Amino acid sequence: MKAIVITRPGGPEVLQLEEVEDPQVGDDELLIGVHATSLNRADTFQRKGSYPPPKGASPYLGLECSGTVLSLGKNVSSWKIGDQVCALLAGGGYAEKVAVPVGQVLPVPAGVSLTDAASFPEVACTVWSTVFMMSRLSQGETLLVHGGSSGIGTFAIQIAKYRGSRVFVTAGSEEKLAFCKSIGADVGINYKTEDFVARVKEETGGQGVDVILDCMGASYYQRNLDSLNFDGRLFIIGFQGGVSTQADLRPLLAKRLTVQGAGLRNRSLENKAVIVSEVEKNVWPAIAEGKVKPVVYKSFPLSEAAEAHQLMESSQHIGKILLLP
């Protein structure tokens, strides 16, 4: 099969389309013929050499895909050859075929094209597991999402609104904020021109928000603590603003705050299967109702993975970027 290979750690130019061996399919796995895969920020870190795949995972990039079932491991009875599916991957999406544990496979949501289905697994599993399963965002509460125009952000806005929350977002341009509002965000904050803590306080009568989904890490840590309401929950899923900071911890006690963090890729198969099952039960109906829509900015042929990475690292996009083998 053909796959994108990282020829050496470096910039987008190190990504090359090459002929490689087909994946081996385990007893509890299925082989998917990839129709589309989707970029995630983590792919750029793996390309640079700072985010290696978990032990036993595919060496190739790609944390989600959509496609058609080509073959089944001997223990797999819940799918049949020819089924159209999408899947959460530990790697291997930037290829023509990928082997996936059966617990990470989802049906294509009703009303969504096979291509657009590739935009959902990673964002849905990330947001559902962090904001809902662990931070327990509930109806009537407020959510602040940093990077509201990202793939994670555009999904989080829609699912939180669907479940009855008021949604705040930060983004770096008026165009991005306008888009976030068009899909349901209540309050848009331009982090380049506004202090998000002051704006959050102003919009909540001085109280703060209940849950924050944060991709920045160190650079926003203090401001996030200062932006939370009593019993507020901060969930960190990325370190785009660094990994080390000094902070005044008094708000943790004074406001009874919870700070959590998690990745998705390195979780156990059992843990991922639980998340995927919860996503199918809770998120897929919202997509089928048309209340949560795919947000796809641009699609590239697989051979143009380098161009796709350049676009992602420019941060000009809104939503997801797809690759089509």
Side-chain angles (χ1 to χ4, degrees), residues 291-311:
K291 303 292 189 198
V292 174
K293 295 184 166 71
V295 180
V296 175
Y297 184 75
K298 192 170 182 185
S299 300
F300 292 85
L302 185 60
S303 58
E304 292 176 19
E307 288 82 349
H309 274 231
Q310 280 167 349
L311 173 60

Side-chain angles (χ1 to χ4, degrees), residues 3 14 21 30 41 43 46 131 146 200 244 252 257 274 295 307:
V14 304
E21 290 293 316
L30 29 118
R41 184 74 56 175
D43 302 347
Q46 184 174 337
V131 174
H146 291 304
V200 161
S244 179
L252 287 172
L257 304 182
V274 169
V295 180
E307 288 82 349

Side-chain angles (χ1 to χ4, degrees), residues 136-201:
R136 304 174 317 285
L137 180 72
S138 52
Q139 191 171 357
E141 287 193 316
T142 47
L143 170 69
L144 168 60
V145 182
H146 291 304
S149 61
S150 66
I152 295 268
T154 53
F155 178 84
I157 292 164
Q158 296 181 82
I159 193 67
K161 285 302 290 182
Y162 173 77
R163 295 185 66 86
S165 289
R166 187 170 179 226
V167 181
F168 293 58
V169 297
T170 60
S173 74
E174 295 310 311
E175 179 202 2
K176 287 179 175 179
L177 291 170
F179 183 85
C180 291
K181 286 191 167 179
S182 77
I183 59 170
D186 297 287
V187 178
I189 305 166
N190 187 329
Y191 66 80
K192 292 180 179 170
T193 60
E194 289 185 88
D195 171 9
F196 72 78
V197 183
R199 186 75 191 283
V200 161
K201 290 288 176 65

Side-chain angles (χ1 to χ4, degrees), residues 24-193:
Q24 299 292 311
V25 185
D27 291 348
D28 299 302
E29 294 183 330
L30 29 118
L31 185 67
I32 297 174
V34 177
H35 179 78
T37 188
S38 171
L39 270 68
N40 288 278
R41 184 74 56 175
D43 302 347
T44 64
F45 301 137
Q46 184 174 337
R47 188 200 73 223
K48 292 172 187 168
S50 61
Y51 189 52
K55 195 169 186 288
S58 168
Y60 309 117
L61 295 166
L63 299 176
E64 58 196 329
C65 74
S66 63
T68 305
V69 177
L70 298 179
S71 69
L72 307 168
K74 71 179 185 199
N75 296 339
V76 178
S77 57
S78 47
W79 299 97
K80 58 185 191 301
I81 290 169
D83 281 346
Q84 293 197 332
V85 296
C86 54
L88 180 70
L89 310 173
Y94 289 28
E96 292 177 326
K97 300 170 194 167
V98 65
V100 193
V102 67
Q104 290 162 227
V105 180
L106 288 149
V108 172
V112 173
S113 71
L114 186 58
T115 300
D116 285 350
S119 71
F120 279 125
E122 178 77 15
V123 294
C125 291
T126 296
V127 172
W128 188 260
S129 62
T130 56
V131 174
F132 295 96
M133 291 170 75
M134 294 177 76
S135 298
R136 304 174 317 285
L137 180 72
S138 52
Q139 191 171 357
E141 287 193 316
T142 47
L143 170 69
L144 168 60
V145 182
H146 291 304
S149 61
S150 66
I152 295 268
T154 53
F155 178 84
I157 292 164
Q158 296 181 82
I159 193 67
K161 285 302 290 182
Y162 173 77
R163 295 185 66 86
S165 289
R166 187 170 179 226
V167 181
F168 293 58
V169 297
T170 60
S173 74
E174 295 310 311
E175 179 202 2
K176 287 179 175 179
L177 291 170
F179 183 85
C180 291
K181 286 191 167 179
S182 77
I183 59 170
D186 297 287
V187 178
I189 305 166
N190 187 329
Y191 66 80
K192 292 180 179 170
T193 60

